[in-house]
Amino acid sequence: MSSRKILILNGHPGQTSLSKSLCAAYQAAAEANGHHVRCHDISQMQFDMDYGQSGYKNPKPLEPDLAAFLEDLEWSEHVVMAAPLWWGAVPAKLKAVFDRALLPGRAFDTRNVNFMGLPAPMLTGKTARVLLTSDTPSLWLRLFYGNAVKKFISRQILGFVGIKPTRFTTFAPATDAPQAKVGTWLRTASGLGAKAA
């Protein structure tokens, strides 16, 4: 298997988290198998989360952390994101990364629209894996909530800019999970990293 260029984004804003541990396990296995990895951790990223009222014609300049993230996103062939499910979606700071960094001219082309009026995606040729931690079991997430968070991430964010397919691995229930269960989850993340999947 040829090596892949992988971007890992830890989307948990806490200094320590299961998401961070999953990212570390994935990274270690990916690098051990010859893949090239660049990592970003939103707990360490400094930027203004508010997009503001300027509109796309006059956006705020990207802070260094966001500029580096976008450059690595463009560089990557495979995007790995770990995030907790909070109130049916992702943490506000993680959403803000996409609000601020995915801009026209870099992520999508508003001058080139399809028959439905949607702009052409500019980050095509990439795949994604989301490591989702949750207290809602996967079956309930599907039956009661229609996998809304998965549709939101895969269709309205990543898919919109051309990153697809997006595959999900869910770890639940995550709060107070036994250490043995966490160990199993970390081995799952390592297995995915080894295959760059």
Side-chain angles (χ1 to χ4, degrees):
M1 179 177 62
S2 60
S3 63
R4 300 188 76 188
K5 295 185 289 187
I6 303 171
L7 168 66
I8 298 178
L9 175 62
N10 172 26
H12 195 297
Q15 295 295 320
T16 60
S17 66
L18 175 58
S19 295
K20 189 167 190 171
S21 297
L22 292 169
C23 287
Y26 189 107
Q27 178 184 1
E31 291 179 336
N33 283 272
H35 301 292
H36 307 287
V37 180
R38 296 181 183 178
C39 297
H40 294 264
D41 185 337
I42 68 165
S43 71
Q44 304 300 315
M45 295 172 70
Q46 300 295 319
F47 61 93
D48 183 357
M49 291 174 53
D50 184 10
Y51 185 84
Q53 301 297 319
S54 60
Y56 282 143
K57 292 183 179 179
N58 186 29
K60 294 177 182 177
L62 294 181
E63 293 87 343
D65 286 343
L66 288 180
F69 168 76
L70 183 53
E71 288 172 7
D72 287 346
L73 182 60
E74 292 171 328
W75 162 86
S76 69
E77 298 169 327
H78 186 57
V79 179
V80 177
M81 180 175 76
L85 177 66
W86 286 359
W87 292 106
V90 296
K93 190 172 182 182
L94 176 56
K95 175 62 164 52
V97 170
F98 301 122
D99 288 346
R100 292 287 319 283
L102 299 184
L103 299 173
R106 298 283 294 273
F108 55 94
D109 185 359
T110 55
R111 298 168 299 178
N112 179 13
V113 298
N114 64 16
F115 72 98
M116 296 178 61
L118 296 175
M122 298 180 70
L123 296 174
T124 57
K126 307 174 191 300
T127 55
R129 169 74 60 178
V130 176
L131 308 175
L132 185 68
T133 64
S134 170
D135 284 333
T136 304
S138 296
L139 180 62
W140 290 14
L141 197 62
R142 177 168 58 86
L143 293 180
F144 292 101
Y145 300 112
N147 279 332
V149 67
K150 295 182 179 182
K151 294 174 184 176
F152 157 68
I153 294 171
S154 64
R155 300 178 189 177
Q156 295 181 277
I157 298 178
L158 300 180
F160 187 85
V161 298
I163 302 171
K164 57 185 175 181
T166 296
R167 294 183 172 88
F168 290 82
T169 305
T170 304
F171 304 93
T175 299
D176 299 323
Q179 194 58 43
K181 175 65 73 174
V182 172
T184 299
W185 292 344
L186 294 176
R187 287 191 292 276
T188 297
S190 292
L192 292 169
K195 297 180 292 185

